[in-house]
Amino acid sequence: MSGKHVLALSGGVGGAKLAAGLAAVLAPEDLTVVVNTADDFEHLGLTICPDIDSVTYALAGLNDAQRGWGVKDETWQAMAMLGALGEADWFNLGDRDLGMHIARSWRLREGESLSSVTARLTRELGIVTAIVPMSDAPVRTQVRTAEGWLDFQRYFVAEQCRPVATAIRFKGVPGAPPSPRFAEALAREDLAAIVVCPSNPYLSVDPILAVDGVREALAGRKVPLVAVSPLVGRAALKGPLAKLLGELGQEVGNGAIADHYGDLLDHLIIDTADADDAEGLRARGLCVTVTGTVMCDADDRERLARVALSAARIETG
Amino acid sequence: MSGKHVLALSGGVGGAKLAAGLAAVLAPEDLTVVVNTADDFEHLGLTICPDIDSVTYALAGLNDAQRGWGVKDETWQAMAMLGALGEADWFNLGDRDLGMHIARSWRLREGESLSSVTARLTRELGIVTAIVPMSDAPVRTQVRTAEGWLDFQRYFVAEQCRPVATAIRFKGVPGAPPSPRFAEALAREDLAAIVVCPSNPYLSVDPILAVDGVREALAGRKVPLVAVSPLVGRAALKGPLAKLLGELGQEVGNGAIADHYGDLLDHLIIDTADADDAEGLRARGLCVTVTGTVMCDADDRERLARVALSAARIETG
């Protein structure tokens, strides 16, 4: 194979870990990490991009491994003041994290694109891998519940995913073109593989697939598409995936993940705890790798990255 | 005298101390504190109002007495992140302070007036005294130096007042009407006194006087105007007043303060260290009180407030 460029699609925390692993084992010029922006929202006048920030903090080594989200060595003083001022405090913003939101928000307001702002801020943090928003146009996830359509962060953070979800939609698509570097990565002559990181298929990966032309581009791919399942022991490590699958009438298992991606998927990497799923997946013509997918440290992340690249027949050093 | 309402005009730190003293000795309904907003500026997408915040923090008991500005128990994590992201870090913004700027900025952007936002946020902090911006229209101080006209915070913070100032101007006036509550206070039937707090006459009080119609209203006053001199021992306790007076061709002394206010001034309160100035001031027909004007604690602030009110013939309990 001539090409060796890898296009990774990622949501937040789980995806960010594999993205960090890929960034550690691939040369910077061989990787483009495209990140979901449908969780982004405007809050207190700031544009907050939770998944871009999770990937950024993970690649910069700034992520809080204990808490599982946000920046390490974080404090919460601005939020306490905002609370004292009677402002909304349902979305907890750390002080260091706020530095990021302030920088991004004012540059966006000055007219810079999200792609350009993201490239600038990640470069300043010393990140050499391209972290790319899926689109520079706003796309916003909404979840239908008995109370009506809820904006994603309202559902996810304020309501803590308690309402039963009956549908999911992405405001802004069609109509949101891929960001310039996403479009460029999809069209690369030397594209060698697409890796779908272990993120929620409905909430984190679907928005990326819903960007104008992306599903079609992936359907016409000439390279393997390898996904790492976000399930471990028929549950999500974090987030509402298992609950969502049930509410959307799916069995909680890798069969549902495979169903969901359908023809886009060539190879699914599943956790050893779900080894039982392998036979059924193979029976439907999928390649399957069974391995430990829980990433607790850098070694785990790099090992799983190598497994994913190997599944895509990419050689790593 | 029938009225007993006091209108105080204040800049930042020194003025804020006397404003806190006045708020401590007067019933809330008997005091309106009008604050300079010509130091306000837009920075990193936030609207920062240093003088309103100094007065607010002083009245809420949140001011940092040691440092002399900003909020007590402050941290600087967001600023460190902004620095790491390559953003301007010449204006130091604490985390708690940022909570204030974020709340104000987003509400202003939503279309609320500065008066309304200030009323809301000060009320939330438990302040019962009216803290009122001089105008809801933006007025911005600029200082002329050999490098041209500098925006105030550029001169004051980034350049630390080092350039020689040859002139001062206020962008936005004429054209900036007094805020509704300032206009109301000026027109009150029961207005009994105007107190000019110990703030820089050129940089903090002049902008208030430059608001549309204010100088005329004060010239036509029927009540005493009492000013507390910001000089102590022919120097300013804080800020560039002494340097400015020299550069603008004035002697550094209370004569220059009296010259500057001219017919607007009825009574000047000067520090014991400048007792020598009293004779000359009295010779030009001014009432003068000589007293300690350095305010180190609440007792000092309340004592000086009582002296100022007494000079204005207002009885306090």
Side-chain angles (χ1 to χ4, degrees):
Chain A
M1 168 185 332
S2 60
K4 57 177 187 161
H5 196 84
V6 175
L7 169 59
L9 310 182
S10 179
V13 178
K17 289 183 179 178
L18 186 62
L22 292 166
V25 303
L26 290 170
E29 64 272 21
D30 293 339
L31 176 63
T32 301
V33 181
V34 169
V35 184
N36 171 42
T37 58
D39 295 3
D40 296 4
F41 71 124
E42 283 68 41
H43 187 54
L44 299 171
L46 302 167
T47 300
I48 297 170
C49 303
D51 287 358
I52 287 180
D53 287 346
S54 290
V55 173
T56 298
Y57 296 148
L59 266 67
L62 291 175
N63 59 303
D64 188 299
Q66 242 85 53
R67 199 188 319 119
W69 57 272
V71 190
K72 65 184 178 187
D73 304 323
E74 188 58 287
T75 50
W76 312 90
Q77 293 248 76
M79 203 71 232
M81 177 65 91
L82 284 160
L85 293 170
E87 300 297 345
D89 55 4
W90 58 269
F91 195 92
N92 213 353
L93 294 164
D95 297 321
R96 298 184 75 191
D97 196 34
L98 268 173
M100 174 67 85
H101 306 320
I102 290 169
R104 173 171 45 230
S105 301
W106 94 268
R107 291 200 172 272
L108 289 174
R109 209 171 290 120
E110 293 286 297
E112 230 176 291
S113 70
L114 184 58
S115 287
S116 165
V117 174
T118 305
R120 168 202 298 274
L121 297 178
T122 54
R123 189 174 57 237
E124 290 285 347
L125 290 177
I127 297 170
V128 290
T129 300
I131 299 176
V132 174
M134 66 186 201
S135 178
D136 285 333
V139 179
R140 297 292 180 262
T141 298
Q142 295 184 314
V143 178
R144 193 173 63 197
T145 71
E147 304 156 51
W149 287 99
L150 291 184
D151 289 340
F152 177 72
Q153 297 295 349
R154 186 54 68 172
Y155 163 79
F156 187 64
V157 175
E159 304 278 347
Q160 294 180 54
C161 308
R162 279 182 300 248
V164 171
T166 54
I168 295 164
R169 70 179 179 190
F170 309 118
K171 274 181 62 182
V173 291
S179 64
R181 294 200 66 171
F182 186 13
E184 190 187 304
L186 285 168
R188 286 180 80 116
E189 288 285 325
D190 66 344
L191 185 67
I194 298 152
V195 174
V196 176
C197 293
S199 295
N200 189 313
Y202 296 91
L203 293 172
S204 299
V205 182
D206 267 4
I208 305 178
L209 303 180
V211 166
D212 292 355
V214 169
R215 190 176 287 277
E216 297 70 19
L218 295 184
R221 72 193 176 281
K222 300 183 184 100
V223 300
L225 190 147
V226 177
V228 177
S229 171
L231 294 175
V232 175
R234 294 197 158 59
L237 278 186
K238 194 172 179 302
L241 176 57
K243 176 169 182 286
L244 259 185
L245 281 168
E247 291 166 2
L248 298 173
Q250 306 286 323
E251 249 183 84
V252 182
N254 284 303
I257 306 293
D259 284 345
H260 186 73
Y261 289 132
D263 289 343
L264 294 184
L265 189 61
D266 300 305
H267 195 132
L268 187 62
I269 298 173
I270 65 173
D271 193 78
T272 44
D274 300 311
D276 289 354
D277 289 344
E279 198 181 347
L281 294 168
R282 290 197 181 104
R284 58 163 90 184
L286 276 177
C287 292
V288 179
T289 298
V290 181
T291 189
T293 63
V294 181
M295 293 170 278
C296 295
D297 58 22
D299 284 350
D300 292 342
R301 294 193 291 269
E302 292 175 30
R303 194 193 57 77
L304 187 58
R306 287 181 200 282
V307 170
L309 294 171
S310 163
R313 298 183 292 278
I314 309 262
E315 287 173 30
T316 55
Chain B
M1 165 186 330
S2 61
K4 57 176 188 162
H5 196 84
V6 174
L7 169 59
L9 310 182
S10 180
V13 177
K17 288 182 180 180
L18 186 61
L22 291 167
V25 302
L26 290 171
E29 63 274 19
D30 292 339
L31 177 62
T32 301
V33 181
V34 169
V35 185
N36 170 42
T37 59
D39 294 3
D40 296 4
F41 71 125
E42 283 68 42
H43 186 56
L44 299 171
L46 301 168
T47 299
I48 297 171
C49 303
D51 287 357
I52 288 179
D53 288 347
S54 290
V55 173
T56 299
Y57 297 148
L59 266 67
L62 291 175
N63 58 303
D64 188 300
Q66 242 86 53
R67 199 188 320 116
W69 58 274
V71 190
K72 65 185 178 185
D73 304 324
E74 188 57 287
T75 50
W76 312 91
Q77 294 248 75
M79 204 70 233
M81 177 65 90
L82 283 160
L85 292 169
E87 300 297 346
D89 54 5
W90 59 268
F91 195 93
N92 212 354
L93 294 164
D95 296 321
R96 299 183 75 192
D97 196 35
L98 268 172
M100 175 67 84
H101 306 319
I102 291 168
R104 174 172 42 230
S105 301
W106 95 268
R107 291 202 172 270
L108 288 174
R109 210 172 289 118
E110 293 286 298
E112 230 175 290
S113 71
L114 184 59
S115 287
S116 165
V117 173
T118 304
R120 170 202 297 275
L121 298 178
T122 54
R123 190 173 57 237
E124 290 286 347
L125 290 176
I127 296 170
V128 289
T129 299
I131 299 175
V132 174
M134 67 187 201
S135 179
D136 286 333
V139 179
R140 297 292 181 260
T141 298
Q142 294 184 316
V143 178
R144 192 173 65 196
T145 72
E147 304 156 49
W149 287 100
L150 292 184
D151 287 340
F152 177 73
Q153 297 296 347
R154 184 57 66 175
Y155 163 80
F156 187 65
V157 175
E159 305 278 348
Q160 293 180 55
C161 309
R162 278 181 302 248
V164 170
T166 54
I168 295 165
R169 70 179 179 192
F170 310 118
K171 274 180 60 183
V173 289
S179 64
R181 292 200 67 172
F182 186 13
E184 191 186 304
L186 285 168
R188 286 180 79 118
E189 288 285 324
D190 65 343
L191 185 66
I194 298 154
V195 175
V196 177
C197 294
S199 295
N200 188 311
Y202 297 91
L203 293 171
S204 300
V205 182
D206 267 5
I208 304 178
L209 303 180
V211 166
D212 292 355
V214 170
R215 192 177 286 275
E216 296 70 19
L218 295 185
R221 71 193 177 281
K222 299 182 186 105
V223 301
L225 189 148
V226 177
V228 177
S229 171
L231 294 175
V232 176
R234 294 197 157 59
L237 277 186
K238 193 171 180 301
L241 176 56
K243 178 169 181 285
L244 259 184
L245 280 168
E247 290 166 2
L248 297 174
Q250 305 287 324
E251 248 183 83
V252 182
N254 283 303
I257 307 292
D259 284 345
H260 186 74
Y261 289 131
D263 288 343
L264 293 185
L265 188 63
D266 301 305
H267 195 132
L268 186 61
I269 297 174
I270 64 174
D271 193 77
T272 44
D274 300 311
D276 288 354
D277 290 343
E279 199 179 349
L281 294 168
R282 290 197 180 107
R284 58 164 88 183
L286 275 178
C287 293
V288 179
T289 299
V290 182
T291 189
T293 63
V294 181
M295 295 170 277
C296 295
D297 57 24
D299 284 349
D300 292 342
R301 293 192 291 270
E302 291 174 31
R303 193 193 58 80
L304 188 57
R306 286 180 201 279
V307 170
L309 294 171
S310 161
R313 299 183 292 280
I314 308 263
E315 286 172 32
T316 55

